[in-house]
Coordinates of all heavy atoms in Angstrom, one line a residue:
A79 N 10.0 47.8 36.8 CA 9.4 49.1 36.4 C 9.6 50.1 37.4 O 10.0 51.3 37.1 CB 7.9 48.8 36.2
V80 N 9.5 49.8 38.7 CA 9.7 50.8 39.8 C 11.1 51.3 39.7 O 11.4 52.5 39.8 CB 9.3 50.2 41.2 CG1 9.8 51.1 42.3 CG2 7.8 50.0 41.2
Q81 N 12.1 50.4 39.6 CA 13.5 50.8 39.6 C 13.8 51.6 38.4 O 14.6 52.6 38.5 CB 14.4 49.5 39.6 CG 15.8 49.8 39.9 CD 16.0 50.5 41.3 OE1 15.5 50.0 42.3 NE2 16.8 51.6 41.3
L82 N 13.3 51.3 37.2 CA 13.5 52.1 36.0 C 13.0 53.5 36.2 O 13.6 54.4 35.9 CB 12.8 51.4 34.8 CG 13.0 52.0 33.5 CD1 14.4 52.2 33.1 CD2 12.2 51.3 32.4
Y83 N 11.8 53.6 36.8 CA 11.2 54.9 37.0 C 12.0 55.7 38.0 O 12.3 56.9 37.7 CB 9.8 54.8 37.6 CG 9.1 56.1 37.8 CD1 8.5 56.8 36.7 CD2 9.0 56.7 39.0 CE1 7.9 58.0 36.9 CE2 8.4 57.9 39.2 CZ 7.8 58.5 38.1 OH 7.2 59.7 38.4
K84 N 12.5 55.1 39.0 CA 13.4 55.8 40.0 C 14.7 56.3 39.4 O 15.2 57.3 39.7 CB 13.7 54.9 41.2 CG 12.5 54.7 42.2 CD 12.9 53.8 43.3 CE 11.8 53.5 44.3 NZ 12.2 52.6 45.4
D85 N 15.3 55.4 38.6 CA 16.6 55.6 38.0 C 16.6 56.6 36.9 O 17.4 57.5 36.7 CB 17.3 54.4 37.5 CG 17.7 53.4 38.6 OD1 17.7 53.9 39.8 OD2 17.9 52.2 38.3
E86 N 15.5 56.5 36.0 CA 15.5 57.3 34.7 C 14.3 58.1 34.5 O 14.3 58.9 33.5 CB 15.8 56.4 33.6 CG 17.1 55.6 33.6 CD 17.4 54.7 32.5 OE1 17.0 55.1 31.4 OE2 17.8 53.6 32.7
G87 N 13.3 58.0 35.3 CA 12.1 58.8 35.1 C 11.1 58.2 34.1 O 11.4 57.2 33.5
P88 N 10.0 58.8 33.9 CA 9.0 58.3 33.0 C 9.4 58.2 31.5 O 8.9 57.3 30.8 CB 7.8 59.3 33.1 CG 8.4 60.5 33.7 CD 9.6 60.1 34.5
G89 N 10.3 59.0 31.1 CA 10.7 59.0 29.7 C 11.5 57.7 29.3 O 11.5 57.2 28.2
A90 N 12.0 57.0 30.3 CA 12.7 55.7 30.1 C 11.8 54.7 29.5 O 12.3 53.8 28.8 CB 13.4 55.3 31.4
F91 N 10.5 54.7 29.8 CA 9.6 53.8 29.3 C 9.3 53.9 27.8 O 8.7 53.0 27.2 CB 8.3 53.8 30.1 CG 8.4 53.4 31.5 CD1 8.5 54.4 32.5 CD2 8.5 52.1 31.9 CE1 8.7 54.0 33.8 CE2 8.6 51.7 33.2 CZ 8.7 52.7 34.2
F92 N 9.8 55.0 27.2 CA 9.7 55.2 25.8 C 11.0 55.3 25.0 O 11.0 55.8 23.9 CB 8.8 56.4 25.6 CG 7.4 56.2 26.1 CD1 7.0 56.7 27.3 CD2 6.4 55.6 25.3 CE1 5.7 56.4 27.8 CE2 5.2 55.4 25.8 CZ 4.8 55.8 27.0
N93 N 12.1 55.0 25.7 CA 13.4 55.0 25.0 C 13.3 54.0 23.8 O 12.9 52.8 23.9 CB 14.5 54.5 25.9 CG 14.9 55.6 26.9 OD1 14.6 56.7 26.7 ND2 15.6 55.2 28.0
G94 N 13.7 54.5 22.6 CA 13.7 53.6 21.5 C 12.4 53.6 20.7 O 12.3 52.7 19.8
L95 N 11.5 54.4 21.1 CA 10.1 54.3 20.4 C 10.2 54.7 18.9 O 9.6 54.1 18.1 CB 9.2 55.2 21.2 CG 7.7 55.2 20.6 CD1 7.1 53.7 20.7 CD2 6.8 56.2 21.4
T96 N 11.0 55.7 18.6 CA 11.1 56.1 17.2 C 11.6 55.0 16.3 O 10.9 54.8 15.3 CB 12.0 57.4 17.1 OG1 11.4 58.4 17.9 CG2 12.0 57.9 15.7
P97 N 12.7 54.4 16.6 CA 13.1 53.3 15.7 C 12.1 52.1 15.6 O 11.9 51.5 14.6 CB 14.5 52.8 16.2 CG 14.8 53.7 17.3 CD 13.7 54.7 17.6
K98 N 11.4 51.9 16.8 CA 10.4 50.9 16.8 C 9.2 51.2 15.9 O 8.7 50.3 15.1 CB 9.8 50.7 18.2 CG 8.8 49.6 18.4 CD 9.3 48.2 18.1 CE 10.0 47.7 19.3 NZ 10.5 46.3 19.2
M99 N 8.8 52.5 15.8 CA 7.8 53.0 15.0 C 8.1 52.8 13.5 O 7.3 52.4 12.7 CB 7.3 54.4 15.3 CG 6.7 54.6 16.6 SD 5.1 53.7 16.8 CE 5.6 52.3 17.7
L100 N 9.4 53.1 13.2 CA 9.9 53.0 11.8 C 9.8 51.6 11.4 O 9.4 51.2 10.3 CB 11.3 53.7 11.7 CG 11.3 55.2 11.9 CD1 12.8 55.6 11.9 CD2 10.6 55.9 10.8
R101 N 10.3 50.7 12.2 CA 10.4 49.3 11.9 C 9.0 48.7 11.8 O 8.6 48.0 10.9 CB 11.2 48.5 12.9 CG 11.3 47.0 12.6 CD 11.9 46.2 13.7 NE 11.0 46.1 14.9 CZ 9.9 45.3 14.9 NH1 9.6 44.5 13.9 NH2 9.2 45.3 16.0
A102 N 8.1 49.1 12.7 CA 6.8 48.6 12.8 C 6.0 49.0 11.5 O 5.2 48.2 11.0 CB 6.0 49.0 14.0

Side-chain angles (χ1 to χ4, degrees):
V80 168
Q81 193 60 48
L82 180 63
Y83 183 81
K84 285 180 182 177
D85 292 346
E86 300 181 41
F91 293 98
F92 294 94
N93 285 343
L95 183 62
T96 300
K98 179 68 80 177
M99 292 297 99
L100 294 171
R101 185 191 66 78

